[in-house]
Amino acid sequence: RSFSSREPPMLLPRLESSSVYGLRHKARAVAPILDGDTCQFLLGTFRFREENEVHLLEISDDDSEIKLKRLLAHPNEIWHLASSPTNSSLFFSIYEDASLTSSRFRASLWSIPVDDGSSVLDHLCEFQGHSSVIRTIMWEPMGSDKSIAVSVDEHVLRKWKFDTASANEVSSIDVGENILLTAACWNPHFLNEVATTSECSVRGWDFRSGKQSFIIDSAHRAAVRDLDFNRNKPYYLVTGGDDSKVRFWDYRKPSSPVREFAQHSHWVWSVKYSPFYDQLVVSGSTDHTVNLYNVASTTLTSMDFNSSADSLGAGLAKKEDHVIKSFEEHDESVYSIAWGGVVRGSWVFASLSYDGRLVINHVPEEDKFRILMA
């Protein structure tokens, strides 16, 4: 069938404080729009050897209603999305170009057309040269250089200089055939450093020297699936692994985590710090749940959550690091999660399960109040 004739997505009933958006196809990629005034997310479908879709969704301020703003055609199944920190119309995607006889991963820069009536994405350039599975492609995290990107495949990290017409590789780090890279995150405090996961380990890589800059040798007892840096506190990161754990690290002290949570019962596929309140972290798992944490002890201010809070009332007494809430609105594995990328969406997070179910949740009001009054 043609793209225009496809059935529309399902806007499912709200689940108490949650909002649900149901795709008619499988999906594993969601990303926040990082520029603009409204809370928006990009959502990509995962249909093997077929045309796919990118959905641009907007979350309303008052009742968290999910509105489909644009429905756009995208070639091949979408593994990863990343929106520009400075231009809401630009995004990267990683997709698998598969046929009956061969398959290769590709990474490209796209532009959402200005014309609201158009359903065709503008393909601007491709990041060519990868010979294995591309794990991620990232914008420079602070948005200070709009023309630099880093991509990571199974064995090579590549830094790119790009514009809307072409992408040129400027440097690379080959980690060798004995290290299989699975996930990566660009350090927002040291822009020459990218951290990666490989089996049970986390490694940092310095593009200036082309060498390893740090290692957490046994970050988890099983494979590390994801990691994310604290944007406010240097050296601190969070990891999620196949041992069902979420762990927090100061990578200068790699012998043991500074904090650990074991609330999941299966693999942790995605972990993300809030970009606005670094005591807030969310994780998604193949146990179908999403967990929201308050980890104030690991933040820049390291606020004392054991201190008295008489001025807030006995019912709002401060707490130690804890799981704020476990959300159970998914029926399949949760592969991707994302926080709202703009100030108006700073308390909002999205979770996506493989069956194409996107759930929008909020930090509970009581916890928001505690954080703002601390």
Side-chain angles (χ1 to χ4, degrees):
R1 291 186 294 169
S2 67
F3 179 79
S4 60
S5 67
R6 288 183 178 170
E7 296 174 334
M10 298 177 289
L11 293 174
L12 302 177
R14 288 170 59 88
L15 300 173
E16 298 181 356
S17 61
S18 304
S19 299
V20 182
Y21 183 85
L23 293 170
R24 298 184 184 275
H25 311 297
K26 295 186 184 300
R28 55 188 307 152
V30 62
I33 296 294
L34 303 174
D35 180 55
D37 298 323
T38 58
C39 182
Q40 297 182 323
F41 293 93
L42 289 174
L43 182 61
T45 61
F46 194 76
R47 304 179 72 201
F48 184 59
R49 290 206 301 263
E50 293 189 49
E51 190 176 61
N52 279 265
E53 303 165 355
V54 172
H55 295 231
L56 176 61
L57 307 178
E58 183 175 294
I59 315 303
S60 63
D61 289 338
D62 48 0
D63 58 1
S64 298
E65 179 186 358
I66 303 174
K67 300 176 182 177
L68 176 63
K69 302 296 290 184
R70 303 290 294 273
L71 180 59
L72 303 156
H74 185 289
N76 310 116
E77 59 199 81
I78 303 169
W79 285 82
H80 176 76
L81 295 168
S83 64
S84 165
T86 58
N87 187 333
S88 60
S89 68
L90 300 179
F91 68 91
F92 296 141
S93 74
I94 295 173
Y95 50 105
E96 187 175 4
D97 189 356
S99 67
L100 291 174
T101 58
S102 65
S103 175
R104 72 184 182 100
F105 277 74
R106 302 169 66 180
S108 291
L109 173 65
W110 306 86
S111 177
I112 298 172
V114 176
D115 179 10
D116 287 346
S118 175
S119 64
V120 180
L121 288 164
D122 297 323
H123 184 263
L124 302 181
C125 68
E126 184 176 351
F127 297 80
Q128 299 180 340
H130 292 278
S131 58
S132 62
V133 175
I134 306 173
R135 301 301 193 184
T136 189
I137 182 166
M138 301 171 282
W139 300 82
E140 190 272 292
M142 303 310 291
S144 56
D145 193 333
K146 307 171 188 176
S147 63
I148 296 293
V150 166
S151 62
V152 178
D153 65 28
E154 291 179 312
H155 302 289
V156 183
L157 298 85
R158 291 179 168 88
K159 182 175 284 189
W160 304 85
K161 186 81 172 178
F162 71 96
D163 55 29
T164 55
S166 64
N168 298 295
E169 184 180 318
V170 294
S171 62
S172 65
I173 302 173
D174 189 330
V175 304
E177 292 297 317
N178 293 329
I179 297 176
L180 181 67
L181 304 177
T182 52
C185 188
W186 201 333
N187 191 333
H189 305 283
F190 308 106
L191 295 179
N192 287 301
E193 187 173 69
V194 172
T196 63
T197 64
S198 176
E199 297 182 342
C200 300
S201 299
V202 175
R203 290 177 169 87
W205 305 94
D206 191 330
F207 272 100
R208 294 169 299 183
S209 65
K211 297 179 180 179
Q212 182 176 294
S213 55
F214 72 85
I215 182 171
I216 304 173
D217 200 22
S218 297
H220 289 261
R221 293 182 179 178
V224 186
R225 291 285 178 179
D226 198 19
L227 77 169
D228 193 27
F229 279 103
N230 185 324
R231 294 176 63 89
N232 292 334
K233 191 170 185 178
Y235 310 108
Y236 274 67
L237 55 84
V238 59
T239 58
D242 280 2
D243 57 1
S244 309
K245 304 287 199 308
V246 173
R247 289 178 167 174
F248 295 83
W249 302 88
D250 177 344
Y251 68 70
R252 298 168 298 180
K253 305 172 183 178
S255 59
S256 61
V258 297
R259 193 72 174 87
E260 176 184 286
F261 290 93
Q263 271 66 32
H264 285 295
S265 61
H266 209 251
W267 306 336
V268 179
W269 265 86
S270 187
V271 286
K272 291 291 181 290
Y273 273 103
S274 164
F276 299 98
Y277 304 100
D278 61 343
Q279 59 265 65
L280 294 175
V281 173
V282 66
S283 64
S285 169
T286 49
D287 65 6
H288 309 173
T289 66
V290 174
N291 286 335
L292 175 66
Y293 311 87
N294 189 320
V295 285
S297 70
T298 68
T299 64
L300 184 63
T301 55
S302 295
M303 293 176 293
D304 179 10
F305 267 59
N306 289 310
S307 62
S308 83
D310 294 340
S311 61
L312 301 181
L316 292 177
K318 295 182 179 181
K319 299 180 179 180
E320 296 180 341
D321 296 347
H322 62 286
V323 177
I324 294 174
K325 187 175 181 180
S326 184
F327 301 84
E328 300 180 351
E329 294 113 341
H330 291 281
D331 298 321
E332 288 195 22
S333 298
V334 179
Y335 283 126
S336 186
I337 51 178
W339 286 93
V342 298
V343 173
R344 289 174 70 175
S346 57
W347 303 104
V348 175
F349 56 94
S351 55
L352 176 65
S353 50
Y354 188 55
D355 56 0
R357 184 183 184 93
L358 181 84
V359 179
I360 299 295
N361 274 299
H362 293 74
V363 177
E365 289 295 324
E366 181 177 317
D367 293 272
K368 287 167 56 176
F369 188 67
R370 284 196 187 100
I371 290 169
L372 292 173
M373 295 298 291

